[in-house]
């Protein structure tokens, strides 16, 4: 089992920045691909970003490419999502997830956090 706890969400104005963190405990963190997803009210959960076991490779949804950066610190069992130039359409609950392969889909992930709310005001 892997337990994931997100933090860092909040209210920010358009154009602002936030840094989300996801702390993991349980099984060996470095064995897992880590991904961020988000779910806006009334919408399906969607892929945001992924990072490989070592952190050497990253993947992004087109909607956040160039604005968001995913990173991880395996020594701290933590994955981060730096979000810049935030827009109202980025408003959502953000979830981190762990899996054994790069899925880019909620269906491919094995463990989930409970989420942290990001609200971007216009």
């Amino acid at each position: 089992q892997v337990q994931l706890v997100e933090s860092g969400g909040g209210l920010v104005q358009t154009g602002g920045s936030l840094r989300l963190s996801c702390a993991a405990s349980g099984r060996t963190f470095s064995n897992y691909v880590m991904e961020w997803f988000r779910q806006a009210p009334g919408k399906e959960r969607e892929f945001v970003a992924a990072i490989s076991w070592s952190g050497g490779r990253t993947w992004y949804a087109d909607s956040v490419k160039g604005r968001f950066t995913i990173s991880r610190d395996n020594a701290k069992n933590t994955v981060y999502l730096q979000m810049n130039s935030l827009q109202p359409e980025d408003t959502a609950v953000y979830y981190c997830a762990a899996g054994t392969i790069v899925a880019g889909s909620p269906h491919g992930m094995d463990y989930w956090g409970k989420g942290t709310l990001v609200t971007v005001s216009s």
Side-chain angles (χ1 to χ4, degrees):
Q1 286 280 42
V2 175
Q3 292 78 43
L4 302 172
V5 179
E6 301 95 337
S7 61
L11 175 64
V12 64
Q13 292 185 333
T14 297
S17 299
L18 281 175
R19 187 195 197 201
L20 305 183
S21 299
C22 174
S25 60
R27 292 190 173 183
T28 305
F29 177 69
S30 58
N31 286 349
Y32 292 90
V33 171
M34 298 299 298
E35 302 193 21
W36 285 95
F37 294 83
R38 66 186 182 186
Q39 188 165 17
K43 295 188 177 181
E44 293 187 353
R45 194 168 297 189
E46 65 175 3
F47 169 75
V48 175
I51 189 164
S52 63
W53 303 268
S54 67
R57 294 193 67 186
T58 57
W59 297 263
Y60 296 93
D62 288 343
S63 58
V64 306
K65 204 172 292 184
R67 299 188 299 124
F68 291 12
T69 302
I70 188 171
S71 61
R72 67 190 296 165
D73 185 338
N74 286 345
K76 295 183 178 180
N77 289 353
T78 303
V79 63
Y80 305 97
L81 186 68
Q82 177 67 43
M83 305 186 296
N84 299 329
S85 301
L86 283 161
Q87 302 298 313
E89 52 267 34
D90 295 316
T91 295
V93 177
Y94 283 71
Y95 299 89
C96 71
T100 55
I101 60 172
V102 179
S105 165
H107 305 292
M109 306 311 294
D110 299 319
Y111 302 102
W112 289 87
K114 293 184 178 181
T116 185
L117 177 62
V118 172
T119 304
V120 185
S121 63
S122 56

